[in-house]
Amino acid sequence: MLQDAIQSLGFGRFALGIDAVNMIFVIAFVMVGTMGLLYTLASRPPIKRAMLSLVFVLASLGCVTAGNMLTFLIFWELMLIVSYLMIVSAGTARSRNAGFRYLLYHVIAGAGMLVGVLVQVSATGSMAFSAPTNAAIPFFMLGIGIKVGAIPFHTWVPDAYASASPSVSVVLSGFTTKVGVYAIIRLLPGVAAIPYMGAAMALVGVLLALLQKYSRRVLGYSIVSQVGYMVAGVGLATASGIDAGSLHVINHIAYKTLLFMAAGAVIYRVGSDHLPSLGGLIRYMPLTFICALVGALSISGVPPFNGFVSKYWLKLALDGQPVVLHALTIAGIGTGASFMKLLWYTYLRDPENRTVSSGPKEVDPGMAIPMLLLAVFCLATGLRPDILAGYLPHAGPAPDPFTLSGLTAGAWPPVAGVAFFTVARQLLSRAPEPPDVDALYRRGLVLMEYVAYSLARITEDRLQGNLMMILVVFLVALLVFR
Amino acid sequence: MGLSLAYWVVLLLFGMGLYCILTESNLIKIAVGINVMEAGLLLFLVRLSYSPGDLAPLMGPTTGPGIADPIPHALTLTAIVIAASTTALMLSLIIQIYRHYGTVDIEEIRSKMQ
Amino acid sequence: MSHLPILVIAIPLLFAFLIPLISMLFPSVRRITVTAMGLVYAGLVGMMIWGYHAMGVDRVIYPLGGWGPDVGIVLELDALSAAFAGIMGLGILLVILYSQDYMEAAESKYYVLLFIVASGIMGIILTADFFNLYVFIEMSAIASFPLVAVSRRGTALFASLYYMVFTLVSSALILLGIILVYAATGSLNMGEVAAVFDTIPELTRASIVGSFVIGLSVKVALIPFHSWLPPAHAEAVSPISALLSGVLLKNGVYMLMRLLPIFGFGDGSLDVRTLLLVIGVLTVIGGNVLAMGQGNVKRILACSSVAHMGYIALGIGIGGALGFAGALFHSLNHMLMKAGAFFSVGCIADGSFELSGLRGAALRTRPAGITFAMSTAGLIGLPPFGSFASKIMIMFAAIDAGMIGIAAVLPAGAVLSAIYYGRVYQVLYAPSEREPDDVSISPWQTTIVLVVTAVGSIATLVWAGNLARIFATIADYLVG
């Protein structure tokens, strides 16, 4: 019996494999990973950082192809270690602090997953993926919730991705949250709360994105928002929901990586991603602008770019969930507005700052090529959604999005968003960057460390007081534990 | 009541030793306390094997009724040796500490360490 | 097999007294001799374990002087002894090898004490006699007190005394337990005591179990008996910190694992399992919280040792064979990781271990900077390090026993440890203004030791399947 228990823990039995569910993730990770690595290499990073990026991509692949929960957990934690090293590899105090917070968030996530998985194994007797038992759900919700950046655990996303070096955040941004989405498909199918979790992420994420002053923080918060779409989709656990969510995963990885590349290119050339001090880059970096524009159109779901298709299918799949559906529509308006803001401040408006007036050069070809390839991908899979549809988990017959109702449904939120931005631009530019919940967490951490410090000082080096404890516990043990 | 008297002495010694360790702030007195405590324990061990009137297991039969159990006595001897060596080591440490801090008072040492 | 059980106790003792002689007569060969002695010692232990394995029996009994267990004192080698002999033997060997460079200027007394500890540890592991157990406990403990004070700093001297007072009180408790065992059963042989333990009156049984468990808890430094550990482990020189944390703490763990089954976990008299669970939870949380409040790297590592002993106590307290096996496995992992961390930190810092003075220090030391990160990541419990597997075993045992709350304590401890190790990384791996090419590389022997600990802590995960099965067999035989 004991040996059975050991057997069920599956030590030493690592299993990797591709099936219908993770196929689309593998395609997305391989493709975008390659592009990201090309971009990273073009930025001539230290060899260590390039190696880390490669290992990170491989670890994420391992995570989504894991054949049992133990393998999954091991790769899950490996991703944490590697991404922590990648974030701190920028070498600045800011990146180290962000890395520290990232480490904490994800160690907590790993802890939740670990308990959940073991509860699961105890119930089913094997490490194979299985529908969650009631006892395991809260632990999985904690672990996966942190990983996907659910409210209120979302703050690590903008924090880490805006603090890492640009080439690192290009590689990082695609994978961690998507692995969380994948984990929902595998480990939390059919939990009713999850679509609402996704809706909250989509709304809060985009609201905060709209108010950010750094382009990579806008992108970070919009990751939270977009992952909310995917979570809402796959959380339904219906065939169409999972398909639409999975398609949104690959689309999102493509355009978000593209947007991070463009933002990184600006940082490399101008040295900053502080929106109020940028502007007019369309003149100097037209290629980057085009790529950013493609990314922005895709993320806003403008037809015929790829975001349009997946969002359309998502909304069809969410037919029975009006609350979630409306939340996503409102989030779509916000997305349109926030990316209009991004393009406006970075490229379109007249430069009012000297940093730009020096006339920065266009990006290197090494960086431009992966950007262009991704832009082409975004357009191509938007025009021909059937290219990817065959690889989706259920690959069922999907309605054609290019109908009049589909096109209008896709087009009006971004248009409304742009209109909103145009009207409210002055207001938005004066709004302060909003505080986020992690200010609270940091306070809590400081308080905890203060308590620990005091406790250590109080108990330390008091020989006799501590000796007394032996006597006390001895007596208590004899009296109580009998 | 001879039997219980011996056990009372054991308890007294053990308690005295413990009290001394817990309350005295002088390191040497703590060392003394540990020794007194161990003495109590060893007396307990010796007392266990002997009832009044027993013969020493030296000549004739070495085990059986009316003959004291020799094993605890051997154990006690060993334990005394160990206690002696720990005491020696402890005192030498205390001497070193005294050389270093100029005091054997535990509170003073604590305040000097910080 | 033949005489190996007594040889692993006697030979290091012989070495201990040969070393001063050799360093007096031929000072130039001391280094090589001590290295050779360490290897011989480890070799003997290895041969003993191999011999035991080859014989394929449950236990090997070695009667000293030809007297059987009824009158004489016997040594007994079973699977638990073999496992711990392996863990401790490896630990001692690593400490000896590491000391060669780190303690180059040490007097020969240092090695004398080290080998006495080595001998005492094997005695504890192999003896089947309660009183001999006490003698060997005292032997290894007495030799370790001066080792703590070897730097002769005031704080180290006081830490040594502090450690000594606690250890002596715990030994007194253990001695009390042994006396009660003899009084109640008339025997000191572990097997014989185990056979008749149930027949002892309840109050006596509770007192026996109570004095052993509390005495051993002091030795294992479970909270609230932990306070001797941070100063002792932090003030000792680094190889001795590794010895105390990696090896000597496992003495107590071994004795808990050896004695609790003999006492039937005190069933019907004192609920040892619940006691250990309560103390274990307190220790895991408290140890990690205390570590968060430290500003000294070695104190952080020391407090984290307390927490890890808590994991082991939980594993034992859960009660099933699986928890026992997990605790055994974790002992091996903790030895490798904590020894590795102390060895690395000894290379990273010279003199002061205050975090404030160590900015960027790990970047300037190879390979200690890397092995430190690996060992501490293992201590947090991340894969690919072995403690991931052993913690899973303990947690799984808890969940299987319906104690999800207990299972959640372990990852909670991991989160707390991520906080303080994260802070340590922030400082140790921060680039500083010093020249980046000012890198110091450890001597080759030290490098080997560092690499062995780091690679070893990964290897235990790679071979987790086999190791878990071996430990489960042992645990099954003890408590199944």
Side-chain angles (χ1 to χ4, degrees), chain A residues 457-458 460-465 467-468 471, chain B residues 18 21-25 30 106 110 113-114:
Chain A
R457 290 298 90 78
I458 290 168
E460 220 156 62
D461 292 335
R462 289 186 192 277
L463 190 125
Q464 287 157 323
L467 266 176
M468 198 84 81
L471 195 66
Chain B
L18 200 61
I21 300 172
L22 291 178
T23 55
E24 286 298 334
S25 66
I30 291 178
I106 201 161
R110 230 173 77 84
M113 269 166 49
Q114 272 147 14

Side-chain angles (χ1 to χ4, degrees), chain C residues 13-23 37:
Chain C
L13 215 50
L14 175 71
F15 286 166
F17 296 104
L18 278 180
I19 288 167
L21 208 60
I22 288 170
S23 47
M37 284 171 170

Side-chain angles (χ1 to χ4, degrees), chain C residues 20 206 362 455:
Chain C
V455 173

Side-chain angles (χ1 to χ4, degrees), chain B residues 54-102:
Chain B
D54 277 1
L55 293 176
L58 289 177
M59 279 174 280
T62 51
T63 51
I67 300 195
D69 184 354
I71 294 177
H73 296 172
L75 304 187
T76 309
L77 268 178
T78 317
I80 288 173
V81 173
I82 292 175
S85 56
T86 49
T87 311
L89 183 59
M90 198 158 172
L91 290 175
S92 67
L93 262 179
I94 294 173
I95 291 170
Q96 294 266 358
I97 288 176
Y98 179 74
R99 284 197 187 138
H100 210 280
Y101 289 106

